[in-house]
C-alpha cells in the first residue's frame, strides 16, 4: 500500500502496533464515534475498518513520528458511480486548528485524482462539525445540500449530513488558483 508524504505529515497504513495510540484517541467521543471501553474494541475496529484496507492511512506527524489521526477514500454508499469515492477523516483534538487535516485532505485529493483517476470525491459532515466543514471548504469542496435524517449514531440519535463534493475539474481549477 502506498504512503503519502507532505511537508509535515506521513500518511501510512495502520497496523496492530498502532493499537495503543488508536485506543487512547478513541477515549474522546468525536464525529459520532462511540468511545471504546476496551482495547479489544479498538482491535476489532482496526481489523474491520483500517488494517489491510486500500486507500486508508494513519496520519503521522513527521517531526515526532506520532500517530494523530486517520484518513481514507472509501466507496460512497450514497452514489452508484464507481469513479466516486468519499473522503473520511478524524484527528486528535490536540491537533485541531493546526492545519494538519487540511494538509492531509489536499494530499489525498491529489492522490485520488492523479493516481486513482477519480471523477469526484464526496464528503459528509454533521451540521455541528464546523471544523470539518472549514477543512472541506479550504480544500475546494462545494456544498451540495443537506441530507435530512441521514445518520444514526451509536447512542441512537439521528442527525442530518451536510453533503460536499469536488470534481476532478474543480480540483484542477482549485490547484491552479491556490499554488
Amino acid at each position: 500500500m502506498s504512503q503519502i508524504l507532505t511537508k509535515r505529515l506521513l500518511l501510512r497504513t495502520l497496523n496492530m502496533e498502532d493499537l495503543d495510540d488508536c485506543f487512547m484517541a478513541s477515549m474522546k467521543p468525536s464525529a459520532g464515534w462511540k468511545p471504546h471501553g476496551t482495547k479489544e474494541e479498538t482491535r476489532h475496529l482496526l481489523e474491520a475498518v483500517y488494517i489491510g484496507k486500500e486507500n486508508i492511512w494513519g496520519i503521522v506527524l513527521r517531526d515526532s513520528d506520532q500517530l494523530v489521526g486517520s484518513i481514507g477514500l472509501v466507496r460512497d454508499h450514497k452514489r452508484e458511480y464507481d469513479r466516486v469515492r468519499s473522503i473520511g477523516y478524524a484527528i486528535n483534538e490536540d491537533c485541531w486548528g493546526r492545519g494538519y487535516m487540511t494538509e492531509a485532505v489536499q494530499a489525498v485529493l491529489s492522490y485520488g485524482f492523479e493516481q486513482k483517476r477519480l471523477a469526484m470525491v464526496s464528503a459528509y459532515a454533521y451540521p455541528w462539525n464546523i471544523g470539518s466543514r472549514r477543512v472541506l471548504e479550504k480544500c475546494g469542496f462545494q456544498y451540495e445540500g443537506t441530507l435530512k435524517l441521514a445518520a444514526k449514531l451509536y447512542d441512537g440519535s439521528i442527525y442530518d449530513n451536510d453533503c460536499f463534493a469536488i470534481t476532478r475539474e474543480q480540483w484542477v481549477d482549485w490547484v491552479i488558483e491556490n499554488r
Side-chain angles (χ1 to χ4, degrees), residues 4 22 33 38-39 52 61 63 68-69 92 96 99 111 124 143 148 153 158 161 178:
I4 300 173
C22 292
W33 288 65
T38 66
K39 282 189 184 178
L61 301 180
D63 64 354
V68 295
N92 293 358
W96 290 2
Y111 169 82
Y124 302 95
Y143 174 69
K148 300 292 186 186
L153 302 188
I158 306 295
N161 274 163
N178 290 280

Side-chain angles (χ1 to χ4, degrees), residues 151-167:
K152 182 176 182 178
L153 302 188
Y154 69 92
D155 63 1
S157 58
I158 306 295
Y159 287 98
D160 298 342
N161 274 163
D162 285 344
C163 306
F164 297 84
I166 185 169
T167 64

Side-chain angles (χ1 to χ4, degrees), residues 52-65:
K53 305 299 189 239
E54 185 179 6
N55 303 323
I56 296 183
W57 303 270
I59 301 170
V60 177
L61 301 180
R62 288 178 66 177
D63 64 354
S64 67
D65 201 36

Side-chain angles (χ1 to χ4, degrees), residues 122-174:
S122 62
Y124 302 95
Y126 298 113
W128 45 264
N129 194 338
I130 303 303
S132 187
R133 183 183 193 114
R134 265 189 256 146
V135 166
L136 295 170
E137 290 169 350
K138 285 180 189 177
C139 293
F141 282 79
Q142 302 296 309
Y143 174 69
E144 294 185 297
T146 299
L147 190 60
K148 300 292 186 186
L149 306 176
K152 182 176 182 178
L153 302 188
Y154 69 92
D155 63 1
S157 58
I158 306 295
Y159 287 98
D160 298 342
N161 274 163
D162 285 344
C163 306
F164 297 84
I166 185 169
T167 64
R168 179 172 176 37
E169 293 77 17
Q170 289 170 327
W171 175 76
V172 168
D173 290 344
W174 182 90

Side-chain angles (χ1 to χ4, degrees), residues 13-24:
T13 56
L14 289 165
N15 56 60
M16 265 316 151
E17 292 174 11
D18 298 314
L19 178 64
D20 288 339
D21 288 338
C22 292
F23 175 69
M24 294 307 294

Side-chain angles (χ1 to χ4, degrees), residues 73-109:
L73 289 171
V74 298
R75 182 173 166 250
D76 184 337
H77 294 284
K78 296 175 175 113
R79 300 177 197 260
E80 294 182 12
Y81 187 30
D82 63 354
R83 288 187 48 221
V84 173
R85 290 293 179 269
S86 184
I87 195 166
Y89 48 79
I91 194 161
N92 293 358
E93 203 171 315
D94 298 343
C95 294
W96 290 2
R98 297 184 185 180
Y100 294 135
M101 192 52 73
T102 300
E103 189 173 324
V105 168
Q106 289 170 352
V108 170
L109 286 176

Side-chain angles (χ1 to χ4, degrees), residues 22-23 26-27 33-39 41-43 45:
C22 292
F23 175 69
S26 77
M27 301 302 282
W33 288 65
K34 176 184 178 279
H36 299 172
T38 66
K39 282 189 184 178
E41 285 180 63
T42 304
R43 178 186 310 281
L45 180 72

